[in-house]
Amino acid sequence: NAGVTQTPKFQVLKTGQSMTLQCAQDMNHNSMYWYRQDPGMGLRLIYYSASEGTTDKGEVPNGYNVSRLNKREFSLRLESAAPSQTSVYFCASRGVGTSNQPQHFGDGTRLSIL
Amino acid sequence: KQEVTQIPAALSVPEGENLVLNCSFTDSAIYNLQWFRQDPGKGLTSLLLIQSSQREQTSGRLNASLDKSSGRSTLYIAASQPGDSATYLCAVPPGNSGGSNYKLTFGKGTLLTVNP
């Protein structure tokens, strides 16, 4: 039961470097999400993809780009990393249908930018 | 803009005690309410989801209630165990979340410690 898989689990970058965080789900879910979690701020939505081929901005999209590569995969890219992007990044997915579909989360990517 | 508040921020109880975690939200037009558990260094695990038309949901020793009109939800944990130690978060999507608009607003969580 893989669920939502995120890679890498840990990463250290220097300011100005670029990086792509990978996320894949094996539950045939239509919707996928990227959140960041910071102390004192809670979880905040960066971008989401309601279905394959669509992406939309969340609460904190600046400095990020996303790609919904196919139904399974949703990647998050930092083009020029900044120390303010040091955070734990979570990917989530959700099936469609009735209102009782919960979001399922990966274990996160811990990203430090020096 | 929806705001979700969780009180208390931290709670420490002895093993065996029954406890209640609180979640409040400012906009009562919600689609559902979801309770999650987060263990240190891990992702979020969904515990219970209450639809907007429901009053409560139960799973084992957990019971979640929802009062939309007052903007409140509670998570009741019976006979707490050390293994229940974790951060508990609640989250709500906006009322017009049918289809493509399903986006969660999270509270900051309650850190629960159950002492043996």
Side-chain angles (χ1 to χ4, degrees):
Chain A
N1 258 8
V4 180
T5 302
Q6 293 184 235
T7 55
K9 296 189 184 304
F10 302 93
Q11 186 70 48
V12 179
L13 293 178
K14 294 181 179 178
T15 297
Q17 288 185 316
S18 61
M19 168 155 197
T20 299
L21 308 185
Q22 307 287 352
C23 175
Q25 52 89 11
D26 62 1
M27 296 172 282
N28 200 36
H29 285 170
N30 283 358
S31 300
M32 298 185 73
Y33 307 81
W34 276 106
Y35 295 89
R36 60 178 289 175
Q37 185 176 37
D38 302 290
M41 300 294 294
L43 278 124
R44 293 177 292 170
L45 182 65
I46 306 171
Y47 269 94
Y48 69 105
S49 171
S51 61
E52 186 178 355
T54 68
T55 61
D56 285 287
K57 295 177 180 179
E59 183 183 353
V60 288
N62 291 346
Y64 305 95
N65 286 303
V66 291
S67 296
R68 184 73 183 266
L69 305 171
N70 48 55
K71 192 171 186 180
R72 291 186 64 248
E73 298 172 288
F74 188 38
S75 63
L76 178 72
R77 183 161 178 84
L78 287 70
E79 290 290 353
S80 179
S84 61
Q85 294 178 304
T86 293
S87 187
V88 182
Y89 292 85
F90 288 101
C91 178
S93 70
R94 179 177 182 263
V96 294
T98 64
S99 60
N100 62 348
Q101 297 289 330
Q103 283 193 3
H104 297 264
F105 282 75
D107 282 342
T109 294
R110 284 143 188 84
L111 182 62
S112 293
I113 299 163
L114 307 177
Chain B
K1 177 185 173 187
Q2 178 75 272
E3 292 183 4
V4 180
T5 303
Q6 292 188 246
I7 294 173
L11 180 64
S12 181
V13 300
E15 182 177 3
E17 193 162 295
N18 302 327
L19 60 100
V20 174
L21 306 180
N22 296 292
C23 172
S24 62
F25 43 94
T26 55
D27 185 349
S28 62
I30 61 171
Y31 195 63
N32 59 39
L33 185 142
Q34 200 167 350
W35 281 95
F36 293 89
R37 169 185 173 136
Q38 185 176 27
D39 292 293
K42 294 291 187 181
L44 281 69
T45 301
S46 179
L47 296 174
L48 290 165
L49 184 150
I50 311 176
Q51 298 180 51
S52 60
S53 58
Q54 295 178 317
R55 298 279 303 181
E56 63 179 59
Q57 276 280 1
T58 298
S59 176
R61 294 182 294 107
L62 305 180
N63 176 275
S65 69
L66 175 63
D67 184 343
K68 271 184 59 177
S69 61
S70 67
R72 295 179 186 173
S73 176
T74 61
L75 180 66
Y76 174 83
I77 302 177
S80 58
Q81 303 171 357
D84 294 330
S85 298
T87 297
Y88 291 82
L89 299 106
C90 67
V92 293
N96 59 343
S97 284
S100 64
N101 196 37
Y102 193 94
K103 298 175 289 185
L104 291 176
T105 299
F106 282 85
K108 294 180 181 177
T110 294
L111 175 61
L112 174 65
T113 302
V114 181
N115 301 300

PDB file of all heavy atoms in Angstrom, chain B residues 82-99:
ATOM      1  N   PRO B  82      -0.544   6.059  25.649  1.00  0.00           N
ATOM      2  CA  PRO B  82       0.692   6.726  25.205  1.00  0.00           C
ATOM      3  C   PRO B  82       0.830   6.765  23.686  1.00  0.00           C
ATOM      4  O   PRO B  82       1.370   7.716  23.132  1.00  0.00           O
ATOM      5  CB  PRO B  82       1.792   5.892  25.865  1.00  0.00           C
ATOM      6  CG  PRO B  82       1.161   5.372  27.113  1.00  0.00           C
ATOM      7  CD  PRO B  82      -0.269   5.081  26.733  1.00  0.00           C
ATOM      8  N   GLY B  83       0.327   5.748  23.008  1.00  0.00           N
ATOM      9  CA  GLY B  83       0.379   5.713  21.553  1.00  0.00           C
ATOM     10  C   GLY B  83      -0.481   6.765  20.880  1.00  0.00           C
ATOM     11  O   GLY B  83      -0.353   6.988  19.670  1.00  0.00           O
ATOM     12  N   ASP B  84      -1.336   7.427  21.642  1.00  0.00           N
ATOM     13  CA  ASP B  84      -2.151   8.512  21.092  1.00  0.00           C
ATOM     14  C   ASP B  84      -1.363   9.822  21.021  1.00  0.00           C
ATOM     15  O   ASP B  84      -1.838  10.804  20.457  1.00  0.00           O
ATOM     16  CB  ASP B  84      -3.397   8.752  21.959  1.00  0.00           C
ATOM     17  CG  ASP B  84      -4.358   7.575  21.928  1.00  0.00           C
ATOM     18  OD1 ASP B  84      -4.408   6.867  20.905  1.00  0.00           O
ATOM     19  OD2 ASP B  84      -5.046   7.360  22.946  1.00  0.00           O
ATOM     20  N   SER B  85      -0.182   9.847  21.597  1.00  0.00           N
ATOM     21  CA  SER B  85       0.643  11.063  21.596  1.00  0.00           C
ATOM     22  C   SER B  85       0.990  11.444  20.154  1.00  0.00           C
ATOM     23  O   SER B  85       1.582  10.646  19.419  1.00  0.00           O
ATOM     24  CB  SER B  85       1.921  10.849  22.413  1.00  0.00           C
ATOM     25  OG  SER B  85       1.614  10.584  23.759  1.00  0.00           O
ATOM     26  N   ALA B  86       0.619  12.642  19.770  1.00  0.00           N
ATOM     27  CA  ALA B  86       0.804  13.133  18.398  1.00  0.00           C
ATOM     28  C   ALA B  86       0.233  14.541  18.333  1.00  0.00           C
ATOM     29  O   ALA B  86      -0.311  15.056  19.308  1.00  0.00           O
ATOM     30  CB  ALA B  86       0.082  12.235  17.393  1.00  0.00           C
ATOM     31  N   THR B  87       0.359  15.168  17.168  1.00  0.00           N
ATOM     32  CA  THR B  87      -0.314  16.430  16.917  1.00  0.00           C
ATOM     33  C   THR B  87      -1.602  16.143  16.151  1.00  0.00           C
ATOM     34  O   THR B  87      -1.590  15.384  15.184  1.00  0.00           O
ATOM     35  CB  THR B  87       0.580  17.388  16.108  1.00  0.00           C
ATOM     36  OG1 THR B  87       1.742  17.694  16.876  1.00  0.00           O
ATOM     37  CG2 THR B  87      -0.169  18.681  15.793  1.00  0.00           C
ATOM     38  N   TYR B  88      -2.694  16.731  16.596  1.00  0.00           N
ATOM     39  CA  TYR B  88      -4.001  16.538  15.978  1.00  0.00           C
ATOM     40  C   TYR B  88      -4.416  17.844  15.300  1.00  0.00           C
ATOM     41  O   TYR B  88      -4.380  18.906  15.912  1.00  0.00           O
ATOM     42  CB  TYR B  88      -5.033  16.127  17.033  1.00  0.00           C
ATOM     43  CG  TYR B  88      -4.764  14.736  17.557  1.00  0.00           C
ATOM     44  CD1 TYR B  88      -3.810  14.532  18.547  1.00  0.00           C
ATOM     45  CD2 TYR B  88      -5.439  13.630  17.044  1.00  0.00           C
ATOM     46  CE1 TYR B  88      -3.519  13.242  19.011  1.00  0.00           C
ATOM     47  CE2 TYR B  88      -5.165  12.352  17.501  1.00  0.00           C
ATOM     48  CZ  TYR B  88      -4.203  12.167  18.477  1.00  0.00           C
ATOM     49  OH  TYR B  88      -3.917  10.898  18.933  1.00  0.00           O
ATOM     50  N   LEU B  89      -4.759  17.729  14.027  1.00  0.00           N
ATOM     51  CA  LEU B  89      -5.138  18.902  13.246  1.00  0.00           C
ATOM     52  C   LEU B  89      -6.553  18.738  12.710  1.00  0.00           C
ATOM     53  O   LEU B  89      -6.975  17.642  12.369  1.00  0.00           O
ATOM     54  CB  LEU B  89      -4.190  19.095  12.063  1.00  0.00           C
ATOM     55  CG  LEU B  89      -2.718  19.328  12.390  1.00  0.00           C
ATOM     56  CD1 LEU B  89      -1.908  18.086  12.077  1.00  0.00           C
ATOM     57  CD2 LEU B  89      -2.161  20.500  11.599  1.00  0.00           C
ATOM     58  N   CYS B  90      -7.270  19.846  12.632  1.00  0.00           N
ATOM     59  CA  CYS B  90      -8.551  19.835  11.944  1.00  0.00           C
ATOM     60  C   CYS B  90      -8.430  20.714  10.702  1.00  0.00           C
ATOM     61  O   CYS B  90      -7.577  21.619  10.639  1.00  0.00           O
ATOM     62  CB  CYS B  90      -9.683  20.302  12.840  1.00  0.00           C
ATOM     63  SG  CYS B  90      -9.608  22.025  13.330  1.00  0.00           S
ATOM     64  N   ALA B  91      -9.264  20.438   9.724  1.00  0.00           N
ATOM     65  CA  ALA B  91      -9.205  21.169   8.460  1.00  0.00           C
ATOM     66  C   ALA B  91     -10.585  21.208   7.830  1.00  0.00           C
ATOM     67  O   ALA B  91     -11.355  20.251   7.952  1.00  0.00           O
ATOM     68  CB  ALA B  91      -8.202  20.511   7.508  1.00  0.00           C
ATOM     69  N   VAL B  92     -10.878  22.310   7.140  1.00  0.00           N
ATOM     70  CA  VAL B  92     -12.170  22.456   6.472  1.00  0.00           C
ATOM     71  C   VAL B  92     -11.976  22.966   5.050  1.00  0.00           C
ATOM     72  O   VAL B  92     -11.119  23.816   4.801  1.00  0.00           O
ATOM     73  CB  VAL B  92     -13.106  23.424   7.228  1.00  0.00           C
ATOM     74  CG1 VAL B  92     -13.512  22.834   8.567  1.00  0.00           C
ATOM     75  CG2 VAL B  92     -12.475  24.789   7.414  1.00  0.00           C
ATOM     76  N   PRO B  93     -12.760  22.455   4.101  1.00  0.00           N
ATOM     77  CA  PRO B  93     -12.818  23.027   2.761  1.00  0.00           C
ATOM     78  C   PRO B  93     -14.023  23.968   2.670  1.00  0.00           C
ATOM     79  O   PRO B  93     -14.980  23.843   3.442  1.00  0.00           O
ATOM     80  CB  PRO B  93     -13.026  21.802   1.872  1.00  0.00           C
ATOM     81  CG  PRO B  93     -13.795  20.872   2.733  1.00  0.00           C
ATOM     82  CD  PRO B  93     -13.452  21.175   4.174  1.00  0.00           C
ATOM     83  N   PRO B  94     -13.995  24.904   1.744  1.00  0.00           N
ATOM     84  CA  PRO B  94     -15.125  25.834   1.627  1.00  0.00           C
ATOM     85  C   PRO B  94     -16.410  25.123   1.210  1.00  0.00           C
ATOM     86  O   PRO B  94     -16.378  24.021   0.671  1.00  0.00           O
ATOM     87  CB  PRO B  94     -14.654  26.833   0.561  1.00  0.00           C
ATOM     88  CG  PRO B  94     -13.585  26.127  -0.186  1.00  0.00           C
ATOM     89  CD  PRO B  94     -12.934  25.199   0.785  1.00  0.00           C
ATOM     90  N   GLY B  95     -17.529  25.783   1.448  1.00  0.00           N
ATOM     91  CA  GLY B  95     -18.826  25.172   1.201  1.00  0.00           C
ATOM     92  C   GLY B  95     -19.082  24.822  -0.250  1.00  0.00           C
ATOM     93  O   GLY B  95     -19.811  23.883  -0.553  1.00  0.00           O
ATOM     94  N   ASN B  96     -18.458  25.564  -1.162  1.00  0.00           N
ATOM     95  CA  ASN B  96     -18.681  25.296  -2.588  1.00  0.00           C
ATOM     96  C   ASN B  96     -17.611  24.367  -3.141  1.00  0.00           C
ATOM     97  O   ASN B  96     -17.086  24.560  -4.241  1.00  0.00           O
ATOM     98  CB  ASN B  96     -18.676  26.614  -3.371  1.00  0.00           C
ATOM     99  CG  ASN B  96     -17.371  27.375  -3.212  1.00  0.00           C
ATOM    100  OD1 ASN B  96     -16.595  27.113  -2.305  1.00  0.00           O
ATOM    101  ND2 ASN B  96     -17.124  28.315  -4.107  1.00  0.00           N
ATOM    102  N   SER B  97     -17.276  23.325  -2.380  1.00  0.00           N
ATOM    103  CA  SER B  97     -16.147  22.458  -2.731  1.00  0.00           C
ATOM    104  C   SER B  97     -16.510  21.302  -3.624  1.00  0.00           C
ATOM    105  O   SER B  97     -15.671  20.466  -3.895  1.00  0.00           O
ATOM    106  CB  SER B  97     -15.504  21.892  -1.456  1.00  0.00           C
ATOM    107  OG  SER B  97     -14.733  22.873  -0.818  1.00  0.00           O
ATOM    108  N   GLY B  98     -17.738  21.229  -4.071  1.00  0.00           N
ATOM    109  CA  GLY B  98     -18.079  20.127  -4.938  1.00  0.00           C
ATOM    110  C   GLY B  98     -17.262  20.170  -6.208  1.00  0.00           C
ATOM    111  O   GLY B  98     -17.134  21.217  -6.817  1.00  0.00           O
ATOM    112  N   GLY B  99     -16.631  19.071  -6.543  1.00  0.00           N
ATOM    113  CA  GLY B  99     -15.858  19.034  -7.779  1.00  0.00           C
ATOM    114  C   GLY B  99     -14.471  19.599  -7.613  1.00  0.00           C
ATOM    115  O   GLY B  99     -13.704  19.111  -6.785  1.00  0.00           O
TER     116      GLY B  99
END
